[in-house]
Amino acid sequence: SAVISQKPSRDICQRGTSLTIQCQVDSQVTMMFWYRQQPGQSLTLIATANQGSEATYESGFVIDKFPISRPNLTFSTLTVSNMSPEDSSIYLCSARTSGPTGELFFGEGSRLTVL
Amino acid sequence: TQLLEQSPQFLSIQEGENLTVYCNSSSVFSSLQWYRQEPGEGPVLLVTVVTGGEVKKLKRLTFQFGDARKDSSLHITAAQPGDTGLYLCAAPTGGGNKLTFGTGTQLKVEL
């Protein structure tokens, strides 16, 4: 299993600013992911955070807007750059245990509100 | 078009009722998972199904993987308020390294 801690848990941000979300896992994991979720709705994958190399982004998400770092096997950050109200959402860090049927563990999420 | 379509999208029932949630796709998957998410928390894994036709039970929850491995269902017997939450199916994509989630079913069980 894996316990994931995210911070901040919530924040209110001004339009045009950037915010970095930190994700710490209590054990070494191979795969880490960042998802976005509107309250009560499903999860959309933003990117796979690759250790020691550039993240792999999904269609519709770009590195300039959502730069991701993963310096080691237990830590990752997601920055939401030049924020607009449309970026208001819950951002979830997750880690997956190995294997094709590996379980996905999630942090509690970071709820961002952009004014 | 979503890869994994869930129905219904919303469900509000009384305690003690039974319900079924469906997860459908036109794609074949090697496995499928169901997660439940409560407000303010991340999703938590309920079950993984791997074999076509497989049925798994978790107390009052029964999960089934379709014979063709394109769909799945979650049946809850005698629902309780503690079952309230967002139910999400998910399947591996992108060579199995990523997990894509279904559209979600928001369940509310009232006293």
Side-chain angles (χ1 to χ4, degrees):
Chain A
S1 67
V3 177
I4 298 176
S5 302
Q6 265 185 254
K7 58 181 182 181
S9 58
R10 59 177 61 230
D11 206 340
I12 299 174
C13 308
Q14 296 298 316
R15 180 195 299 260
T17 63
S18 299
L19 182 77
T20 296
I21 302 168
Q22 297 181 6
C23 175
Q24 180 73 53
V25 189
D26 70 340
S27 58
Q28 294 186 348
V29 291
T30 304
M31 311 204 73
M32 292 182 72
F33 307 91
W34 287 95
Y35 286 85
R36 185 168 71 180
Q37 182 182 33
Q38 295 296 329
Q41 298 185 23
S42 188
L43 282 69
T44 300
L45 181 62
I46 297 172
T48 302
N50 300 309
Q51 192 265 328
S53 63
E54 190 172 291
T56 304
Y57 290 85
E58 297 301 304
S59 176
F61 298 96
V62 295
I63 188 172
D64 290 346
K65 177 67 175 177
F66 298 101
I68 289 171
S69 78
R70 190 179 172 193
N72 56 51
L73 292 176
T74 64
F75 186 78
S76 179
T77 66
L78 166 73
T79 299
V80 186
S81 303
N82 189 25
M83 286 184 285
S84 66
E86 292 71 35
D87 295 321
S88 297
S89 191
I90 300 169
Y91 293 86
L92 291 148
C93 172
S94 64
R96 192 173 185 193
T97 56
S98 61
T101 59
E103 178 176 354
L104 204 58
F105 296 90
F106 287 87
E108 293 184 343
S110 298
R111 181 186 287 257
L112 301 187
T113 301
V114 184
L115 302 177
Chain B
T1 303
Q2 294 285 339
L3 182 63
L4 289 164
E5 292 280 352
Q6 288 183 234
S7 61
Q9 185 177 1
F10 299 100
L11 193 54
S12 181
I13 61 173
Q14 297 297 310
E15 182 180 19
E17 294 184 15
N18 302 330
L19 67 115
T20 301
V21 177
Y22 299 93
C23 174
N24 295 300
S25 177
S26 58
S27 300
V28 177
F29 298 110
S30 57
S31 65
L32 192 138
Q33 297 179 325
W34 284 92
Y35 290 78
R36 179 172 67 204
Q37 183 180 25
E38 298 183 18
E41 300 181 7
V44 175
L45 179 68
L46 295 174
V47 76
T48 300
V49 286
V50 178
T51 306
E54 181 178 5
V55 176
K56 279 191 174 180
K57 291 190 176 183
L58 182 66
K59 298 183 179 179
R60 294 177 292 99
L61 279 60
T62 301
F63 304 85
Q64 184 164 9
F65 201 13
D67 291 341
R69 291 185 286 125
K70 293 182 178 181
D71 53 79
S72 181
S73 64
L74 158 60
H75 182 78
I76 301 179
T77 303
Q80 299 177 359
D83 296 326
T84 294
L86 178 66
Y87 288 80
L88 296 156
C89 63
T93 56
N97 292 326
K98 305 182 295 186
L99 209 60
T100 296
F101 283 82
T103 50
T105 296
Q106 187 70 55
L107 170 66
K108 184 176 182 180
V109 182
E110 297 180 294
L111 293 170

